[in-house]
Amino acid sequence: MPLTTDTEIKTLLEEVRTIALVGASDRPTRPSNGVMATLQGHGYRVIPVNPQITGTHIHGEFVFRNLEQLGDPIDMVDIFRRSSEAGAVVDQAIAIGAKAVWLQLGVIDEAAAARAEAAGLKVVMDRCPAIEIPRLGVDPVGA
């Protein structure tokens, strides 16, 4: 079962330090760009992943092609992809040993969520961490 209670979601956000943001955009008008900036401003390390702009930088971070390229351990994979594409990203998150997957607002894939949970990952679906952090009163990372 994906995490749904305020307590579960707040605890996850308090445990996370490093986030891979799949579907990151270098365009300031895109929601993923604003969410990345918000998460960084809260103290998280956010690593952007987008094969179309690999090798560039977003908010000071190098953009990677896919999750397999990341050398650092990832606590959470934040997925800004269509629901139909989320399953493949969840499978990559499982393969790299991420601790959690977060499917953004409007992104729903019950089968992928079940695979992630079966592999021991925590799952949040159809929510946005940039909305949940202030709503739940999550302290900045390292505070």
Side-chain angles (χ1 to χ4, degrees), residues 6-138:
D6 287 354
T7 301
E8 291 171 328
I9 293 169
K10 183 176 183 183
T11 298
L12 174 62
L13 291 167
E14 289 171 342
E15 293 171 349
V16 166
R17 295 293 176 268
T18 305
I19 301 169
L21 197 150
V22 177
S25 176
D26 56 356
R27 291 182 283 177
T29 57
R30 301 293 296 179
S32 63
N33 188 285
V35 168
M36 181 174 171
T38 298
L39 293 172
Q40 285 180 317
H42 207 73
Y44 297 103
R45 171 143 189 246
V46 184
I47 303 169
V49 177
N50 185 329
Q52 295 178 341
I53 55 172
T54 300
T56 64
H57 289 79
I58 303 174
H59 302 302
E61 289 282 348
F62 182 86
V63 180
F64 288 87
R65 178 173 307 282
N66 56 46
L67 293 175
E68 288 85 10
Q69 284 189 316
L70 305 178
D72 296 331
I74 301 299
D75 295 319
M76 184 172 84
V77 176
D78 188 1
I79 303 173
F80 268 95
R81 304 298 303 152
R82 291 184 191 100
S83 295
S84 62
E85 299 170 5
V89 179
V90 168
D91 293 339
Q92 290 176 25
I94 293 166
I96 66 162
K99 298 174 186 169
V101 290
W102 188 297
L103 285 70
Q104 276 291 333
L105 289 171
V107 182
I108 300 168
D109 185 332
E110 298 289 349
R115 287 194 308 275
E117 290 171 335
L121 281 70
K122 294 179 181 176
V123 178
V124 177
M125 197 162 34
D126 195 23
R127 292 181 185 249
C128 178
I131 294 170
E132 298 300 320
I133 288 167
R135 186 181 76 79
L136 298 171
V138 177

